[in-house]
Amino acid sequence: PSDAVAAIIVVPGQGYLMQHRDPIPNIFYPGHWGLFGGASEEGEDEITALKRELHEELALPSENIAPVRFLNFRFQFEFGAGAVVHRHYYTLNIAPENVSELRLAEGAGMAVLDWREALDPNRLVTPYDSFALWVHHNQDRLSLDHLHRMGTEI
């Protein structure tokens, strides 16, 4: 495991653009659905890594990418000398008419899934991406203002 970036790509009015991962055994979660992105290379900052990954995987020109930082997961591997790995999530919107211009260069397929399809428990989705999508879909419910109105202690 290493630091990685992922894009929650929103197609307004339609859903999330997701990748159907290749069914090869030497990758994390083969055959599952997940978000586009991947490992950061040495010396890359998060935005550079995300732009490179989206260009490699979708032929998305980097000048068309305006990601907004959304969420960060921190995994600490106690059994591996305490190594810490981050998975950084960014959101970006792609207009529905631009989805057809994307060219899948990695993975078994891609599709725009509405939130019900993306979070369907019968769909194999990488667990960390599934949780990130759940948080994205429910972000209004998770806002501090909403939690305070509900009387939730933080």
Side-chain angles (χ1 to χ4, degrees):
S2 61
D3 287 349
V5 292
I8 299 173
I9 301 174
V10 178
V11 181
Q14 295 184 7
Y16 300 107
L17 181 65
M18 296 184 68
Q19 177 192 51
H20 192 199
R21 297 172 60 78
D22 285 315
I24 53 179
N26 65 333
I27 64 171
F28 288 128
Y29 299 101
H32 284 59
W33 287 86
L35 299 173
F36 288 94
S40 301
E41 294 179 356
E42 190 170 333
E44 276 185 324
D45 62 49
E46 296 165 24
I47 298 294
T48 302
L50 186 65
K51 287 182 175 187
R52 177 186 49 76
E53 286 288 341
L54 294 178
H55 181 72
E56 289 174 3
E57 295 178 351
L58 291 169
L60 187 61
S62 62
E63 62 271 8
N64 293 352
I65 301 173
V68 176
R69 189 176 178 99
F70 178 69
L71 187 64
N72 176 50
F73 293 156
R74 180 181 185 270
F75 300 98
Q76 184 162 357
F77 293 88
E78 295 294 340
F79 61 87
V84 175
V85 174
H86 293 268
R87 186 163 177 85
H88 305 281
Y89 288 88
Y90 287 80
T91 59
L92 67 109
N93 291 348
I94 294 182
E97 60 272 15
N98 293 338
V99 172
S100 63
E101 297 171 9
L102 301 174
R103 298 291 171 250
L104 183 69
E106 189 176 305
M110 68 177 177
V112 176
L113 305 175
D114 71 27
W115 69 269
R116 288 175 194 86
E117 295 170 313
L119 298 173
D120 182 339
N122 295 313
R123 180 180 301 278
L124 290 176
V125 178
T126 59
Y128 37 80
D129 289 349
S130 179
F131 185 63
L133 286 171
W134 184 89
V135 171
H136 187 268
H137 178 69
N138 290 286
Q139 61 187 307
D140 291 341
R141 290 179 41 205
L142 299 172
S143 73
L144 288 177
D145 288 342
H146 179 77
L147 293 174
H148 285 300
R149 285 193 305 273
M150 300 300 293
T152 304
E153 292 292 325
I154 302 193

